[in-house]
Amino acid sequence: MSEVRWTFPPMPHPAAHAPAAPPAPVQIATHGFVLRTLLPADVTARFVQWINAPAMRAGLNLPPLGFDAARLRQFIAGFDGRRNHIIGIFAEELLIGFYTVDVNLTHKVGVLTAGIGDTGQERRKVYWGTIDALLDHFFIYRDLDKMVARVLAGNTAMLFNFVDNGRFFHEARLRQECLGQDGRRQDVLVFAAFREGERPQGENYRP
């Protein structure tokens, strides 16, 4: 039996490499709001209540979530801060909503979702007071080139935030893209913001 000789060096054992440093959390103060990476410790009974609320599920087109405190902490812990983010929106230290960002690291594109859970807050004020700083953070510090938001055509509360919005541009209407909670097919409107600013061919959304 011939002797076996390797013509390339063996792969080092993974333990030989120092672990990658954890990503820095998001921490932004803007227009009286604070945006920061959520932690499992941020889960409160109030948070559990509003994230399970029918209005939240309707806006995000989600089935009943059935979150209790333990499941919600586990859900938050699943965001790695690189490929996906969950960022709390705080007003006077009270958690009133969140953004999630799913990132394609290869193509430098993020997909943005948002929810406001505290009905005492005027939603348009919250979005308009926070979205510019959030976009700038991801474009400048997280090396994204584009951020995309997909909104159900029937979600008028969210669509209202894109009227005359100078950062997001209406790119497409995806007809009958998904099933709504009533079982009927729903159109989805796609909006995009760009690192390099306004595109000449972009157009603002008109309801």
Side-chain angles (χ1 to χ4, degrees):
M1 184 175 181
S2 61
E3 182 182 0
V4 176
R5 296 182 181 275
W6 297 110
T7 59
F8 53 86
M11 294 292 290
H13 191 277
H17 293 287
V26 174
Q27 180 78 36
I28 305 167
T30 177
H31 294 102
F33 299 99
V34 171
L35 307 178
R36 68 165 175 81
T37 299
L38 281 179
L39 302 172
D42 291 313
V43 173
T44 63
R46 183 189 186 99
F47 186 6
V48 172
Q49 180 181 20
W50 62 249
I51 202 169
N52 283 311
M56 177 67 70
R57 293 190 291 102
L60 299 177
N61 197 30
L62 294 174
L65 299 174
F67 278 128
D68 57 18
R71 286 192 60 209
L72 186 52
R73 290 188 188 101
Q74 185 178 24
F75 175 71
I76 290 171
F79 289 80
D80 65 12
R82 287 192 178 89
R83 291 176 177 82
N84 49 43
H85 301 258
I86 184 164
I87 300 159
I89 306 171
F90 293 82
E92 298 180 352
E93 300 185 359
L94 178 67
L95 178 64
I96 62 170
F98 63 88
Y99 289 103
T100 65
V101 182
D102 294 305
V103 178
N104 184 315
L105 295 173
T106 300
H107 298 289
K108 300 184 179 182
V109 175
V111 178
L112 180 72
T113 301
I116 301 298
D118 192 316
T119 55
Q121 295 288 329
E122 202 278 303
R123 287 172 171 81
R124 185 173 174 85
K125 175 184 176 183
V126 174
Y127 287 121
W128 281 58
T130 58
I131 192 60
D132 282 337
L134 184 73
L135 291 174
D136 290 340
H137 175 88
F138 275 88
F139 291 154
I140 295 169
Y141 298 107
R142 308 279 169 165
D143 197 30
L144 292 192
D145 290 334
K146 181 178 181 179
M147 190 76 81
V148 176
R150 295 162 56 95
V151 184
L152 287 175
N155 188 353
T156 53
M158 177 58 72
L159 289 173
F160 189 58
N161 294 294
F162 292 94
V163 175
D164 294 328
N165 188 319
R167 296 298 295 272
F168 277 95
F169 298 91
H170 181 212
E171 285 207 310
R173 186 183 191 106
L174 308 179
R175 300 190 181 278
Q176 301 187 37
E177 177 72 1
C178 64
L179 285 172
Q181 292 189 321
D182 60 0
R184 299 178 181 178
R185 300 209 66 84
Q186 295 271 330
D187 292 358
V188 172
L189 301 179
V190 181
F191 300 88
F194 299 87
R195 183 176 188 170
E196 297 302 322
E198 182 173 342
R199 302 182 312 154
Q201 66 268 35
E203 64 179 72
N204 288 343
Y205 174 67
R206 294 289 187 274

